[in-house]
Amino acid sequence: MIRYTFRAPDVAALRFGISPLNELGLGLRALRRPEHYPLQAAWISRITPVLPVLDREVLLHLVDERRWVADFLNPRPASPLTSIDDELAALSRITPERLRADLEPIHGTLPAVFRGPHREVVRRLVEAIASMWHLCFAPHWPRMRSVLQADITHRSRLLATGGYEDMFASLAKRIAWDGKHLDVRTMSNFEAEQEVAGRGFTLMPSIFVTDASTLIDLDLPPLLMYPARGQGAMWSSHPGADRGALTQLLGATRAELLAALGEPASSTELALRFGVSTSAINQHLRVLERSGLLNRTRYGRSVLYYRSDLGQSLASGA
């Protein structure tokens, strides 16, 4: 178990974040042990044709059979708008000491693929990760990011209405909060205590963790990864179901949009799910919002829509 100790300013400074590189690093778990990630089976199926062209020797040595991932793949996002290019640029500056310190706890030694001239090792590492991003993540990132953003919106609402106790209780089974300490039970026998001590504490939703996960290197700023909600519908397609009276009232498309927005989502994600243009989705969303059936909130550059109380009552009745 790892115990994080908070002082009052640390609690107030707690924040959420999204890191593209973090999702890629954790996604290596699903490639290594796909049986642990049934909700991402559709993603694995989609990327299977491109796997032979990846540098699998490098990528699969960044994670082990226990699903431990090298900590340099779990950066603290600098902002809600952190880009993969910025994170890869930072990774290209990794020192030999950091590379070794993050890989040896996973494998017990530095894998052979990471030995040799440091500049060449890092070049191959960054190229392998960049290729995986462009082939396996970039085509699906709008959908993935929408799930992560919707999760943060939900947790933020919990924090506003129920406080830290309710918000922490909603994150994962293996964590406990007593108002001063956050206890994270790990999958190993690893035990440690760490003072947050003004360094900031980041909560990061992920679609590639099944419970709470944190960093091995306690010298790094504290970071807790937890499973994002709403993953079950992430790869679902437009169902095209007739919703009876609600369909007659709103029309088929708007009725199905209202049904889909039990969880916050962006117009981009909805367009992908429904297989239509973003502009068409936006027209329907604006009508539903003006009718009082939807609310919206901004996260970074994205606008997330979700059902209002009136919309919830109408959708539940249907």
Side-chain angles (χ1 to χ4, degrees):
M1 182 184 78
I2 299 176
R3 164 164 283 191
Y4 295 102
T5 300
F6 288 73
R7 299 175 183 172
D10 297 323
V11 176
L14 186 144
R15 67 188 182 94
F16 291 91
I18 294 172
S19 162
L21 183 58
N22 180 80
E23 283 303 278
L24 183 148
L26 295 175
L28 292 171
R29 294 171 154 189
L31 294 186
R32 170 76 78 168
R33 302 291 299 274
E35 68 275 13
H36 289 280
Y37 303 92
L39 294 179
Q40 305 315 326
W43 173 72
I44 295 173
S45 176
R46 284 167 165 81
I47 68 171
T48 295
V50 304
L51 294 182
V53 305
L54 299 179
D55 190 342
R56 292 170 66 86
E57 184 182 16
V58 167
L59 294 171
L60 293 182
H61 279 93
L62 297 171
V63 60
D64 70 358
E65 287 296 320
R66 298 167 298 179
R67 292 177 287 156
W68 285 20
V69 179
D71 279 345
F72 56 71
L73 294 181
N74 302 134
R76 266 178 99 214
S79 76
L81 304 178
T82 299
S83 73
I84 187 65
D85 291 335
D86 291 339
E87 292 184 319
L88 288 176
L91 180 60
S92 70
R93 298 189 292 272
I94 190 171
T95 65
E97 295 76 19
R98 173 78 189 279
L99 187 77
R100 180 179 292 273
D102 283 2
L103 288 167
E104 286 185 341
I106 296 174
H107 300 289
T109 186
L110 186 68
V113 69
F114 296 114
R115 298 174 189 169
H118 181 67
R119 181 176 298 179
E120 177 60 25
V121 167
V122 172
R123 183 197 61 78
R124 184 177 174 186
L125 170 65
V126 172
E127 286 183 357
I129 292 173
S131 294
M132 183 175 179
W133 174 263
H134 291 298
L135 294 174
C136 301
F137 279 83
H140 312 294
W141 184 240
R143 184 177 298 208
M144 293 175 169
R145 184 180 56 206
S146 291
V147 170
L148 301 176
Q149 291 173 336
D151 179 277
I152 291 175
T153 298
H154 172 76
R155 310 296 176 182
S156 299
R157 292 208 307 266
L158 278 181
L159 181 60
T161 58
Y164 288 96
E165 184 174 356
D166 284 0
M167 187 274 292
F168 277 122
S170 75
L171 296 182
K173 297 177 181 178
R174 290 205 303 257
I175 69 173
W177 169 254
D178 66 5
K180 182 179 179 181
H181 305 102
L182 183 67
D183 294 334
V184 182
R185 299 194 307 276
T186 62
M187 293 187 294
S188 67
N189 295 324
F190 184 71
E191 293 192 10
E193 294 189 14
Q194 184 182 35
E195 294 268 355
V196 177
R199 294 186 298 162
F201 194 102
T202 302
L203 297 171
M204 194 171 343
S206 173
I207 63 175
F208 294 110
V209 296
T210 55
D211 210 307
S213 182
T214 191
L215 300 178
I216 300 171
D217 187 348
L218 296 183
D219 290 332
L220 298 174
L223 172 66
L224 178 72
M225 295 156 281
Y226 65 89
R229 64 200 302 272
Q231 298 179 45
M234 183 166 59
W235 302 109
S236 63
S237 58
H238 169 44
D242 181 5
R243 297 184 177 274
L246 186 60
T247 299
Q248 293 176 13
L249 177 66
L250 300 176
T253 301
R254 289 171 188 167
E256 288 154 6
L257 271 175
L258 188 65
L261 285 167
E263 300 292 340
S266 69
S267 57
T268 301
E269 194 276 330
L270 291 167
L272 287 169
R273 193 188 307 180
F274 280 65
V276 298
S277 69
T278 303
S279 61
I281 289 291
N282 277 324
Q283 291 178 22
H284 292 300
L285 291 174
R286 284 194 289 268
V287 171
L288 291 171
E289 184 189 9
R290 289 200 305 270
S291 301
L293 300 179
L294 294 182
N295 294 326
R296 65 176 175 170
T297 186
R298 179 168 291 279
Y299 181 82
R301 294 178 180 172
S302 296
V303 175
L304 303 181
Y305 292 86
Y306 59 97
R307 290 198 294 249
S308 66
D309 291 342
L310 176 60
Q312 181 65 29
S313 298
L314 195 60
S316 299

